[in-house]
Every structure is written in structure tokens, then in C-alpha cells.
Amino acid sequence: MKVSYKVDLGGNVRPYPHYWEMCVGSCHAATILREDVREHIRAAHRDCGFKYLRFHGLFDDDMSVVIKPMMPWGKVEVSFLNIDSIFDFLLDIGMKPFVEIGFMPEALASGTQTCMHYKGNVTPPADYDKWAELIRMFGEHLIERYGKEEVSQWFFEVWNEPNLNFFFSGTRDEYFKLYKTTAETLKAVSPCFRVGGPATSVNAWIPPFRAFCEENNVPLDFISTHHYPSDDPLSTFGMNDGTAPAMKMPTPEELAALSKEELEKMAGGFFGRKTENPRDILFQMTKKAKEEAGDYPLYYTEWNGADEYDTSYQAAFIAQTIAYNEGMVEGYSFWTVSDIFEEMGLLPTPYKNAFGMQNNNGVPKPSYRMFQVLHEAGDMRLPVEGSHRTAEVFALTNGRHATVIAYNHDIERRDVETQEMELTLTGKKVCQVRKAVISDGHCDPKAAWKAMGSPMYLKKDEVTELMKASELCYESLPVSEGNQVLTFTAEPESVTIFDVEYEG
């Protein structure tokens, strides 16, 4: 039995802003000094339309912002040279920074706890006056170099996931103090700075953070948070009710001290816990966060899937997520633009199931192609009739071209079966239809890599071959007046794209 849908090309459309293009993420700041990462960012901006770039570690010691003296009689120096290089690059290519303020320079830190391979210091400042002085200098430098008109278009987010002990060693109250100091200092430099938070994982702390800012007259221009399907469904750890001070995660040093048996027990109990996410888990999380944010603009400054980052599964997941979260957020920043990603060290394997939408060599993955299709689609949503548990359809138009996207997806891969589908186009005379598929074997550079023997390091001709394998291949379909019915097969975790030209 076919799964049937109707798309009314002449029906009442509604505005559909490309909210997912507002921002994209990119590892930690020092990597953006690399030319290959810059090329990956250029490509994603050009092909997928991303406007802002967010990344960790702007003040990390590998950025040489706060430089400790080598000799006892020396003085601490401050340099914004590497920051300028990154911000200049973004402006030169037509993008802007979504500034994540952190982590703590060692010279200002209250402790030694670090995160990730690049060792960002995650402790609060030892002296809040010295932290405020750094923020004041930073703000004044940005105004002097880029001007108020430009800087007023940027966003300034304080820290990253402070509800996770892994990323912030302090309590919730200490984060609120850090936010207050940072926001008030930037606003004192110029009211043009847009400042927000709490930048939490798991949609956490939004109500208490709002209450703190409002009750203490602390500047707050927007709410930001993060979520992934691997987060506990609807924050079942109590992370979102304001009662948990910080989610205790083991530090690298604590993990290293564990025995193999202890580590396996922890992995089985926490990291290996089974999830039973509903298909719309991110929609449910977003809806709850939107209600908690109230009248404040809501930005998700990180989101991604839970698994299979290199395959068509990710493209189907993106299509469903973008279709479901309509109208709830001002920005939705995918994490990340590239597999050149150093949180756990940079592994050389071209396909290693990492977050990026391009591999180490800049080869687009199915996720990249999905964002490219969405970018090229119109910004008005067409009415669609029909329903199915896993095989769904949504359609966008610019008034003459429609992009109809059919995906067959379940976030936990529950009973996703091959579906025979029928798509009827009504309301307008169709002039031309082209079809492309993202699935196993179509737009599938990972499969091409495996076919060449899964080399660890790619040669130039191999990169060229994978680039070709990553392309979306369109075929023209016959249509005739009175017969605007398209039949096709939707494989599990696939996306089928129809580019439809019709008379206005």
C-alpha cells in the first residue's frame, strides 16, 4: 500500500524564515587560524547560507590573549591579535561572529581544571575585577576596530554549558555572578552589545536564569541553550527545573584515575544508558524552552543528532528537525561545520562518525547536502496533506519553484521500513520536475571511501573522487497536464528531493 501525499502548489503559503541558517558551530577558536578550516567555513557559507559562526575557547591560552610573563619581574600582557584574525576573516567572507566568551585564561583562573584535548580552563576567575578589566578591554577594542554599527549586529554569549561540571567547575550561583560581571561590563562599554545566556546543555536553567537577571536588573538580550537527542528526554535528570546546581561529570584526571572495572560500570550506567526518544524529542525540548524563554529571543547555539553523523540518517534527521521546529526559535546553530574538531584530538580517519558536515578533507557529507538543498529552497511553506509515522513530506516555495522533501526517519530507527510513496502535485500546472536522493549509495561519499579500501590518509585524486561521490545527482521526471502524480521508493533513513518548476 502506497503512502500518499498531496502538495498544493497554489495553496495558501506561510512565511518560513531559514532560521537554521542563522549560525553554525566550529570547534575551538585556534582551529579557525588554519586555512583548511577557513575553506570549510567559506564553502558552508557559500553553499548552505550560514550567517554567523560560533566556537569555543576565544580566550584559551592557545589564542595568546592573556599572556603570563616568563620571568617573575614581567607583567601580564593582553593581545587580541589572533581574535582579530578570526573576526576579520569572518567579515571578509560575509559572515559575523556569534561570540562565546570563554574559557578562562590561566593567568586569571582560580583553579587548574581543564576540558578537552586543547585544555580550556573551566574555572571561575580568581579575581572578578581582573576578569572585568579583560572584558572591558575586549569590548573597547571591538568598538575601536569594528565600530558600534557593526558590533551591534553580533551576539555575545557568556560561557559554554556551565551546568556541566566538565565545562564549568563552579556552581550555578557562580555562573550567575560571572554572567552578571561580564554583561554589565560590556554594556558599560556600549549599550550596543547584545548579551545572553545561560548557554546551557539540556535546555537547563532557563527559568532561574531569567529570574536572576530580572530581579537583579542584569542585562539580558536573549536566551541561549543547547540540545541533542542523546540528552535525557525532556531533561529527566531535573536539569531544567532550576534545582540542580551543576551536572557532575568526571574530569579527564578523574577518568584517568578509575580502574577498568569502574570505568566500564560508569560507561554502562551513564554514557551507555538506553534512550527511548520519541520521534519529536527535539521539538518537545524546543517547545518547552520557548515557553520558558517567554518574550526573549531564543537561540539554540548547539544542536545535532545522536548517531550516524556520516550517513544519510543524518540528512533525514535534519530534514525532520527543521520541518518540526518551525516558528519557535530565532536561530538554530548546527554543531559543527567541519570534522577538523579537536575536543578529543584530531583523528586522521576521513570517516570517523564525527559531528562535522564536512570531513577532514572538506568533502561534504549527506548533512551538508541537506543544508544545501534547504538553503536553495524558498522561504514560504506550502500546505501538504497526508501522514505516516516515519515517511513524511514538507514543501517550500519561492513562488515559481517548489522544493518538496520526503524523508523516511525515526530517531531511534524503530521499525523504519521501505515505503512506496505517491506524491500528487495540485493547484498549478507543473512545467518540470527533477529528483535527487540521499540514501545508502546515493550522495554517499563514505561508501565510496570504503570501496577504495578505507584509506586513513587521502591523496588528492581520492579527495576528488569522494567529492564527486558526495554530489546530489538530479534526474528529470516526465510530467504531463492532468497527470502530476509522482511515485517513488523511500528507503529507511533516506531523503528524496523534488525540484518542481510550475507556472506562476
Side-chain angles (χ1 to χ4, degrees):
M1 180 176 172
K2 288 187 175 68
V3 178
S4 297
Y5 282 90
K6 289 184 180 180
V7 177
D8 186 356
L9 301 174
N12 292 327
V13 298
R14 61 181 184 268
Y16 194 70
H18 288 200
Y19 63 91
W20 61 90
E21 294 179 10
M22 187 266 176
C23 188
V24 69
S26 183
C27 196
H28 69 116
T31 60
I32 307 170
L33 300 172
R34 297 175 52 140
E35 182 54 34
D36 51 359
V37 173
R38 291 187 173 194
E39 184 52 39
H40 299 177
I41 294 167
R42 286 188 194 98
H45 170 62
R46 178 191 67 232
D47 295 340
C48 305
F50 298 114
K51 298 176 179 65
Y52 288 77
L53 190 77
R54 175 186 178 269
F55 43 88
H56 302 326
L58 191 69
F59 291 163
D60 282 0
D61 286 346
D62 60 7
M63 285 289 288
S64 294
V65 177
V66 181
I67 306 165
K68 292 174 67 175
M70 295 183 63
M71 300 300 177
W73 57 84
K75 66 175 183 176
V76 171
E77 299 283 354
V78 174
S79 170
F80 299 119
L81 184 66
N82 283 327
I83 292 177
D84 289 347
S85 175
I86 293 171
F87 290 178
D88 289 355
F89 158 70
L90 292 176
L91 295 177
D92 285 347
I93 67 170
M95 296 185 75
K96 298 181 187 300
F98 197 117
V99 181
E100 177 197 306
I101 296 176
F103 293 107
M104 191 61 58
E106 182 183 345
L108 303 183
S110 60
T112 59
Q113 182 179 325
T114 62
C115 71
M116 301 305 181
H117 174 76
Y118 50 81
K119 297 188 181 304
N121 188 295
V122 297
T123 67
D127 184 326
Y128 276 84
D129 289 339
K130 290 182 179 178
W131 171 256
E133 177 65 10
L134 173 64
I135 297 301
R136 181 191 63 77
M137 293 173 64
F138 177 57
E140 290 177 349
H141 174 77
L142 296 182
I143 296 297
E144 189 278 329
R145 184 175 183 85
Y146 302 105
K148 290 182 181 180
E149 182 177 353
E150 175 61 43
V151 173
S152 69
Q153 300 174 64
W154 303 2
F155 297 81
F156 293 81
E157 179 184 47
V158 180
W159 216 256
N160 176 72
E161 300 189 350
N163 61 310
L164 303 185
N165 178 265
F166 185 82
F167 283 116
F168 187 64
S169 68
T171 65
R172 191 183 73 190
D173 287 345
E174 286 175 305
Y175 170 72
F176 288 177
K177 180 179 179 181
L178 178 69
Y179 177 86
K180 180 177 186 291
T181 301
T182 307
E184 289 179 345
T185 302
L186 284 175
K187 289 289 190 179
V189 172
S190 173
C192 78
F193 285 96
R194 283 190 286 188
V195 190
T200 43
S201 172
V202 202
N203 310 274
W205 291 2
I206 296 174
F209 177 69
R210 273 189 61 190
F212 169 81
C213 291
E214 291 168 357
E215 292 167 8
N216 295 280
N217 199 29
V218 176
L220 177 61
D221 296 309
F222 62 89
I223 296 292
S224 67
T225 191
H226 306 160
H227 62 197
Y228 296 82
S230 54
D231 296 334
D232 287 287
L234 297 179
S235 308
T236 53
F237 267 3
M239 297 297 299
N240 212 15
D241 62 7
T243 61
M247 182 175 175
K248 176 64 175 174
M249 295 181 69
T251 66
E253 292 76 16
E254 289 170 335
L255 286 173
L258 294 175
S259 68
K260 180 181 178 183
E261 291 74 19
E262 290 171 325
L263 191 61
E264 288 175 347
K265 183 178 180 180
M266 175 184 290
F270 180 75
F271 297 107
R273 66 194 185 280
K274 182 176 176 59
T275 58
E276 290 292 345
N277 289 309
R279 288 187 71 246
D280 64 346
I281 180 61
L282 292 192
F283 167 77
Q284 291 189 40
M285 288 180 169
T286 307
K287 184 174 183 292
K288 188 171 190 289
K290 180 65 174 176
E291 292 168 355
E292 293 174 343
D295 293 334
Y296 292 99
L298 176 62
Y299 295 92
Y300 272 90
T301 49
E302 283 187 31
W303 71 282
N304 200 315
D307 201 4
E308 300 187 56
Y309 302 111
D310 298 338
T311 70
S312 64
Y313 169 96
Q314 184 76 330
F317 160 76
I318 289 168
Q320 181 197 292
T321 303
I322 295 304
Y324 278 31
N325 280 354
E326 175 186 3
M328 291 195 292
V329 298
E330 279 67 35
Y332 207 49
S333 182
F334 189 78
W335 187 258
T336 61
V337 73
S338 172
D339 275 358
I340 297 179
F341 185 74
E342 295 186 331
E343 290 194 349
M344 301 301 173
L346 181 56
L347 297 175
T349 317
Y351 293 95
K352 53 197 173 184
N353 202 34
F355 285 126
M357 64 179 73
Q358 297 167 85
N359 76 0
N360 293 349
N361 306 91
V363 177
K365 298 182 188 180
S367 54
Y368 184 103
R369 295 305 185 196
M370 191 68 250
F371 280 120
Q372 187 174 11
V373 167
L374 288 164
H375 175 57
E376 293 169 355
D379 60 1
M380 295 177 287
R381 191 161 180 175
L382 288 162
V384 175
E385 293 182 16
S387 66
H388 186 268
R389 192 186 74 81
T390 65
E392 297 179 306
V393 171
F394 77 108
L396 304 176
T397 184
N398 64 6
R400 294 296 297 271
H401 274 85
T403 302
V404 182
I405 297 169
Y407 54 86
N408 189 11
H409 171 70
D410 182 272
I411 203 163
E412 302 288 354
R413 278 189 174 268
R414 285 166 296 220
D415 303 321
V416 184
E417 300 175 349
T418 299
Q419 299 294 335
E420 298 303 318
M421 298 189 68
E422 181 178 87
L423 179 65
T424 303
L425 305 174
T426 66
K428 294 285 184 178
K429 180 181 178 181
V430 174
C431 305
Q432 178 179 310
V433 177
R434 299 187 308 143
K435 183 184 84 167
V437 177
I438 303 174
S439 67
D440 290 346
H442 295 87
C443 187
D444 190 358
K446 182 178 181 179
W449 170 70
K450 287 183 175 180
M452 63 175 61
S454 305
M456 184 75 73
Y457 300 95
L458 296 177
K459 300 181 178 69
K460 287 185 178 180
D461 60 333
E462 292 170 330
V463 173
T464 300
E465 185 177 341
L466 294 185
M467 284 287 190
K468 185 172 180 59
S470 80
E471 293 176 357
L472 274 171
C473 297
Y474 282 91
E475 61 172 317
S476 294
L477 301 181
V479 291
S480 60
E481 189 171 359
N483 183 21
Q484 296 184 172
V485 180
L486 307 171
T487 58
F488 61 101
T489 301
E491 299 292 342
E493 303 306 333
S494 70
V495 182
T496 306
I497 302 116
F498 296 94
D499 177 65
V500 181
E501 182 180 350
Y502 58 92
E503 291 184 355

